[in-house]
Amino acid sequence: MPDYQAISVQQDESVLILSLNKPDSLNALTFQMMDEVLDVLAMIKNTPDIRALVITGSGRGFCSGQDLKDRPKGDDIIHQIMECYFKAFQAIRTCRVPVIMAVNGVAAGGGFSLALTGDIILAARTARFIQIFSRIGLSPDLGSTYLLPKVIGRHRALQYMMTNDPISADQAEKWGLIAAQFEPEDLMRETRLLAHRLAAGPTRALVAARSLVDDQQDAEYEARFRAELAVNMDLKTGFDATEGGQAFMDKRPARFRGV
């Protein structure tokens, strides 16, 4: 395996475990991390003995969202994000093998969006799912407005997008957002058991089922992903997004004006 900087990769027989590995930032997403994830997904495509993929987070969180300090450079920001983030997210959604998300802690903002790309989500009982975007004066992105309403419904999705209230593991399980929850110390053991069960199955048939479930959705997902970015590019020119981002960096409540 290459010497990755933002992720770690471990192969357990026919199961590959990919851990987001920036624990000091609760595994905040960066361009480098997404490039490394995409590299792993490309490797899986050409490695027949890998039959299932697990994605989890190092340390006490799954993923806290996009790293606000890791900003795209230049003018065509949407293109840069589509080329990096979208390609990584879409590679997960169309992976050659089944993908399990093991949410070991907070999944916030873009981290919540990332969790939604998996086929099956398992979580620790202490896990929390938070939209968080409006806290910094932005609208949900990275595919969240496309995927989340499909899982929990329009009204619930909008409630959590607008309020930033966390969704507990209990509530997530009741709504079908996650398949099951476990004590934190048991999460990876249970995840490995399920991953090995899937890895022992008919991989092509399992992924074919996903393809049929997702039929006709890929183009819509890409279009929505791009549209979300365009909306946020517009919002970023307003006072609220500037104030929200600065307040987040200052670790204080934002004073929004509605503009």
Side-chain angles (χ1 to χ4, degrees), residues 46 61 86 124 137 153 172 182:
N46 299 305
F86 174 74
F182 304 98

Side-chain angles (χ1 to χ4, degrees), residues 137-150:
L138 296 176
S139 178
D141 62 17
L142 301 190
S144 192
T145 67
Y146 183 78
L147 295 176
L148 185 59
K150 291 181 179 296

